[in-house]
Amino acid sequence: MDQFIVKPLFGDGPVHWYTPTNATLWLMLAVAAVGFVMVIGTSRRAVVPGRSQSIAEVLYGFVHDMVEDVTGHAGIKYFPYVLTLFMFVFFANVLGLIPMSFSPTSQIATTVTLALLVFFGVTLIGLARKGVGFLSMFWVSSAPLALRPILAIIEVISYFIRPVSHSVRLAGAMLAGHAVLKVFAGFAAATVVAPLAFAGMVGIYALELLVAAVQAYVFTILTCVYLKDAVGDAHH
């Protein structure tokens, strides 16, 4: 599990909050990759797009449709943040698959930070748009009156559990995938099982590329679902 250890980039001293580490390096590389695709890749906009522009346009349209389909027209104004979130998680996941790299999204500190930004952002948007009416989402008026207080408690608990499930799902998926790859790499060192282990590594690596994209999608679609609570009508 040493591939998940946060280490200083310079020297072997203790890691403080201001210490440049392998985690901060790969976080910065993920940000740089997003900037390269979305800014530099589209700097020479053309009617007939090139390769980088096509990639940027496909990702842009994909996330835009997701936000519009889930949150409706009211949620489109928050599309830039959702797009940034998707792009960052996607590139952080993919860059973490490079041999000898570091996967920042396998760290719970990274995913919890992203999940809390979504949680507090959605809560503040909901309170700003609806005021006290935002709390009506916890009151299931279609249920029998005797059950409504119990359901309200369940709804409140599930609401505050969101950052936990939102973050653990992403970190757990990335950590597990990298651990499995490491195990097969260890088997590949044995001459007898090397061919089978190598074939297993290729298959799992292809699967991990798919997981990297799917987990970015899942993290983003859940963000849109939570955002819908703040901009849409509460359930009754």
Side-chain angles (χ1 to χ4, degrees):
M1 302 298 286
D2 58 339
Q3 61 177 315
F4 303 111
I5 298 176
V6 177
K7 303 174 183 177
L9 285 179
F10 310 104
D12 297 319
V15 175
H16 302 287
W17 67 267
Y18 53 82
T19 304
T21 64
N22 51 351
T24 55
L25 171 63
W26 287 94
L27 285 170
M28 292 173 62
L29 289 175
V31 173
V34 174
F36 178 82
V37 172
M38 302 305 292
V39 179
I40 299 177
T42 60
S43 60
R44 297 181 179 179
R45 290 182 292 274
V47 177
V48 180
R51 185 176 304 172
S52 59
Q53 184 179 336
S54 296
I55 295 173
E57 289 180 356
V58 168
L59 293 173
Y60 183 98
F62 173 73
V63 178
H64 186 277
D65 292 343
M66 185 196 311
V67 175
E68 188 172 29
D69 292 343
V70 176
T71 66
H73 183 71
I76 291 298
K77 64 184 297 184
Y78 305 106
F79 161 71
Y81 176 74
V82 178
L83 175 64
T84 303
L85 190 65
F86 171 81
M87 295 293 290
F88 174 78
V89 174
F90 175 72
F91 278 102
N93 290 350
V94 172
L95 290 175
L97 293 173
I98 298 175
M100 306 303 293
S101 68
F102 183 86
S103 177
T105 46
S106 67
Q107 301 292 310
I108 196 68
T110 301
T111 58
V112 164
T113 300
L114 296 175
L116 286 176
L117 286 173
V118 172
F119 176 77
F120 286 116
V122 166
T123 303
L124 292 175
I125 291 170
L127 292 173
R129 288 177 62 92
K130 301 179 179 180
V132 180
F134 179 63
L135 301 179
S136 64
M137 65 178 290
F138 302 119
W139 189 255
V140 186
S141 57
S142 61
L145 184 60
L147 293 178
R148 292 178 193 177
I150 299 174
L151 293 176
I153 294 173
I154 295 174
E155 289 285 345
V156 170
I157 293 174
S158 64
Y159 185 82
F160 283 94
I161 288 296
R162 283 180 176 181
V164 178
S165 60
H166 204 187
S167 58
V168 171
R169 181 183 291 104
L170 174 59
M174 301 312 298
L175 187 146
H178 284 72
V180 172
L181 277 173
K182 189 73 171 181
V183 169
F184 272 85
F187 284 137
T191 306
V192 178
V193 296
L196 292 176
F198 182 78
M201 284 183 62
V202 172
I204 293 175
Y205 195 88
L207 179 62
E208 280 302 297
L209 286 173
L210 177 62
V211 169
V214 169
Q215 287 301 317
Y217 170 78
V218 170
F219 195 92
T220 309
I221 197 74
L222 286 175
T223 299
C224 293
V225 171
Y226 300 156
L227 184 60
K228 182 181 179 181
D229 292 335
V231 301
D233 296 326
H235 61 77
H236 299 288

